[in-house]
Amino acid sequence: TGTGAAMTPIGFEVGKSLGLQPSWLIILIAFIIGLVTILCEPAVHVLTAQMEEISDGNIKKGTVLLTLSLGVGAAIGLAAIRTVFDFSIMFYMIPGYIISIVLMFACPDIYTAMAFDSGGTASGPMSSSFVLPMIVGITATLGANKGLADAEINYYNQSFGVIALIALTPVIAIQILGVSQNIKKAKARSIMRQHVYTASDAQIIHF
């Protein structure tokens, strides 16, 4: 009831207002909304706290929140681009999952597990009750600007798929975080090896 009375109508009206703006501004504002939307998902805070606890503090809650925020921001920005230019969601989904599968071989297993959990958690009630209606509102305004009647606007092609993107981009974002951690560890090991001396270096020289 609360969603139907408040979140969905507000999201739709925000989208209708955004649709009146220039294309670059629509995409920018959609990205910014994505950055902050994820912070309103209660399950995300539970997940990040569990990540920090399981990793004994090695994976910081703030780092994961920032990574997820950027991932969801990118998802909603990409959804806005697709809405404005009207092309198939498959141009995102197929390369996205190929990238995700490739990254599975490069990042630690714990990050891969957390990544797919994050994807499911990020696409929660805020996404479905606010972000999706917002994208539909943008589509409605853009269609009206083209002189199309409501029945002629292709909401399925232009609007839907945003939740799928929100489920995908955090997976890639967390996996990239895992790869960056691997690179940092490799650099640290390389520096440590440079300080390891040979047996002759440990000999005592008697004068």
Side-chain angles (χ1 to χ4, degrees):
T1 301
T3 298
M7 299 301 295
T8 300
I10 290 173
F12 185 73
E13 291 301 322
V14 168
K16 284 177 66 177
S17 300
L18 271 179
L20 299 171
Q21 308 304 318
S23 297
W24 67 270
L25 191 58
I26 294 173
I27 296 163
L28 177 62
I29 294 175
F31 173 74
I32 294 170
I33 288 174
L35 290 178
V36 298
T37 297
I38 190 67
L39 303 177
C40 302
E41 293 282 6
V44 167
H45 293 276
V46 176
L47 179 67
T48 51
Q50 287 179 338
M51 287 180 183
E52 190 170 29
E53 182 181 349
I54 290 169
S55 65
D56 293 326
N58 293 322
I59 303 172
K60 301 298 182 184
K61 180 179 178 180
T63 304
V64 178
L65 272 176
L66 177 62
T67 305
L68 286 175
S69 182
L70 290 171
V72 175
I76 299 176
L78 290 170
I81 291 172
R82 190 173 72 89
T83 301
V84 170
F85 296 104
D86 190 15
F87 55 87
S88 172
I89 186 70
M90 291 304 171
F91 286 102
Y92 288 148
M93 302 306 292
I94 293 174
Y97 276 105
I98 290 172
I99 292 169
S100 177
I101 291 168
V102 170
L103 286 173
M104 287 174 64
F105 298 99
C107 76
D109 291 341
I110 187 171
Y111 279 92
T112 299
M114 292 189 303
F116 283 94
D117 274 350
S118 300
T121 305
S123 53
M126 279 299 294
S127 304
S128 55
S129 63
F130 180 80
V131 175
L132 179 56
M134 181 187 77
I135 297 295
V136 173
I138 295 172
T139 303
T141 301
L142 292 176
N145 290 344
K146 295 175 184 176
L148 299 176
D150 191 61
E152 297 173 312
I153 300 172
N154 198 335
Y155 293 104
Y156 293 100
N157 279 351
Q158 288 182 259
S159 302
F160 293 94
V162 62
I163 306 300
L165 277 174
I166 293 173
L168 171 63
T169 51
V171 175
I172 297 174
I174 296 294
Q175 286 179 314
I176 291 172
L177 178 63
V179 171
S180 70
Q181 292 299 317
N182 264 358
I183 293 171
K184 286 180 182 178
K185 286 181 180 178
K187 285 183 178 179
R189 282 195 297 267
S190 176
I191 292 170
M192 287 175 65
R193 287 193 190 102
Q194 292 172 9
H195 294 284
V196 175
Y197 301 104
T198 62
S200 61
D201 293 327
Q203 292 179 355
I204 299 174
I205 300 174
H206 297 280
F207 293 96

